[in-house]
Amino acid sequence: MTVRIGVIGTGAIGRDHARRINQVLAGGKIVALSDVNPASAEAVKADIAPDATVYATGEELIAAADVDAVLVTSWGATHEQYVLAAIAAGKPCFCEKPLATTATGAKRIVDAEVAFGRRLVQVGFMRRYDAGYVALKQAIETHTGAPVMVHAAHRNPAVPEAYTTPMAIHDTLIHEIDVFRWLLEDDYVSARVTFPRTCARSHAKLRDPQIVTLTTAKGVVINTEIFVNCHYGYDIQCEVVGEDGVASLPEPMAVQMRLGAKLQNSILTDWKDRFVASYDVELQDFLKAAAEGTASGPTSWDGYMAAVTADACVAAQDDEGATVAISYPSRPALYA
């Protein structure tokens, strides 16, 4: 079965996902496009999906009879309305993070999906599909013993002037928030944020770097450095310390060179290059599930848990050094 896909939001990530589905992956075809900028949708139609129909609104696209499933890759503040519309229409929906811009909004999606009675939503936490993280999880489960501590870092070479302190949580740490829950099979109970001195490449609305400490229900302490103006490259690090050993996220494959009296290898500078393969795997997983009228992978519940945790981390930013408690309602049976 070929799943007929509608894409809402044809900016950089929407365009790239459309390319994947039409040119790289099996089992899907882009049949519909929509964007607040019609020219953007028309450009994707011309370059990638010539048979697609361009709709004026996301709601019209979702309602179209020839659309089997939906990709929501629009501006984050619009995600909730489109995901809720897809659930109401009974159509599988892949939603890029964030699931919603507030925990309350994410909970509305959870409640709607539970009321529908079947999983329809996959959230775009692609790190669960990264070969390095999959290998790290296997090492934790089979070799290192029960986790005790995690040391991690999320470093970007630079961010634009519009990037502010809370975005370090909602736009950057959000990936770690989800993948650590998955790696450890554990939930969070508290968050704390501390700030070293602000680096010279930052600006008035951004305190950078910062260190976020999360404690889990099982007592694991996770320290994550967020440094979004590190200058030297895009660098994702994760070391899990267990009772019997230590496991580290493998570095991306790179050719080591002896050059100019130095032993060296290149460091990536673009997140799209670092996780390009995981995007392919996650969308193939979505297409497989959508063909059966359901969804796989990270759930609406995972999106909600990430949103609650992110809100707590932002609250901890506002009260530096204080411990902010994190609590969640009981997990619905649909996501057991």
Side-chain angles (χ1 to χ4, degrees):
M1 172 186 174
T2 297
V3 181
R4 299 170 297 179
I5 304 289
V7 179
I8 304 173
T10 54
I13 192 68
R15 182 185 180 90
D16 206 32
H17 284 345
R19 177 195 60 79
R20 282 187 177 87
I21 289 169
N22 268 18
Q23 300 177 4
V24 178
L25 307 179
K29 180 180 180 180
I30 304 300
V31 301
L33 300 162
S34 180
D35 194 278
V36 292
N37 177 8
S40 173
E42 292 289 352
V44 173
K45 175 181 171 70
D47 298 341
I48 297 170
D51 298 328
T53 301
V54 175
Y55 289 89
T57 69
E59 287 81 3
E60 291 177 38
L61 179 149
I62 292 167
D66 66 340
V67 171
D68 300 318
V70 180
L71 262 61
V72 177
T73 50
S74 53
W75 179 44
T78 66
H79 288 187
E80 180 187 348
Q81 71 188 75
Y82 295 138
V83 174
L84 287 173
I87 293 171
K91 297 184 178 183
C93 177
F94 176 91
C95 180
E96 273 298 344
K97 62 89 181 170
L99 178 62
T101 52
T102 66
T104 301
K107 185 59 163 55
R108 282 193 288 265
I109 292 172
V110 166
D111 292 342
E113 193 174 29
V114 169
F116 188 83
R118 183 172 79 245
R119 272 207 60 194
L120 289 173
V121 180
Q122 177 178 330
V123 182
F125 289 127
M126 80 292 184
R127 289 198 188 179
R128 298 187 185 201
Y129 294 94
D130 176 71
Y133 276 105
V134 171
L136 179 59
K137 184 173 176 64
Q138 184 178 26
I140 294 167
E141 292 172 347
T142 58
H143 296 298
T144 62
V148 178
M149 295 174 285
V150 177
H151 307 294
H154 188 144
R155 303 183 184 122
N156 287 64
V159 291
E161 191 78 12
Y163 188 104
T164 61
T165 301
M167 292 174 70
I169 305 298
H170 288 302
D171 288 56
T172 299
L173 184 71
I174 196 72
H175 287 290
E176 277 79 12
I177 287 172
D178 176 73
V179 82
F180 294 156
R181 285 185 60 247
W182 173 77
L183 275 175
L184 303 174
E185 297 181 1
D186 203 353
D187 288 326
Y188 306 116
V189 296
S190 69
R192 181 165 52 88
V193 176
T194 53
F195 296 94
R197 69 170 182 83
T198 298
C199 71
R201 291 186 178 91
S202 190
H203 57 81
K205 294 183 180 180
L206 173 62
R207 298 184 70 181
D208 182 50
Q210 55 189 274
I211 298 170
V212 179
T213 302
L214 292 164
T215 302
T216 75
K218 295 177 184 177
V220 179
V221 175
I222 304 166
N223 289 305
T224 303
E225 167 207 321
I226 310 169
F227 190 7
V228 294
N229 287 287
C230 77
H231 189 60
Y232 71 85
Y234 180 73
D235 192 9
I236 303 299
Q237 300 289 326
C238 183
E239 178 185 80
V240 180
V241 181
E243 292 185 350
D244 300 325
V246 178
S248 297
L249 183 71
E251 295 285 345
M253 188 171 64
V255 174
Q256 190 177 78
M257 296 177 288
R258 288 169 168 81
L259 185 68
K262 296 178 181 179
L263 182 64
Q264 60 190 13
N265 55 272
S266 298
I267 295 175
L268 296 171
T269 59
D270 192 326
W271 57 269
K272 295 187 292 297
D273 295 331
R274 171 63 179 83
F275 290 107
V276 61
S278 63
Y279 285 110
D280 291 347
V281 179
E282 75 167 347
L283 280 178
Q284 191 67 74
D285 192 34
F286 174 72
L287 291 173
K288 180 180 178 181
E292 300 175 358
T294 186
S296 184
T299 67
S300 295
W301 181 254
D302 294 320
Y304 168 66
M305 296 287 272
V308 171
T309 305
D311 285 354
C313 291
V314 171
Q317 286 180 327
D318 293 336
D319 193 3
E320 181 181 356
T323 298
V324 175
I326 304 173
S327 61
Y328 316 97
S330 298
R331 183 195 305 262
L334 181 65
Y335 308 109

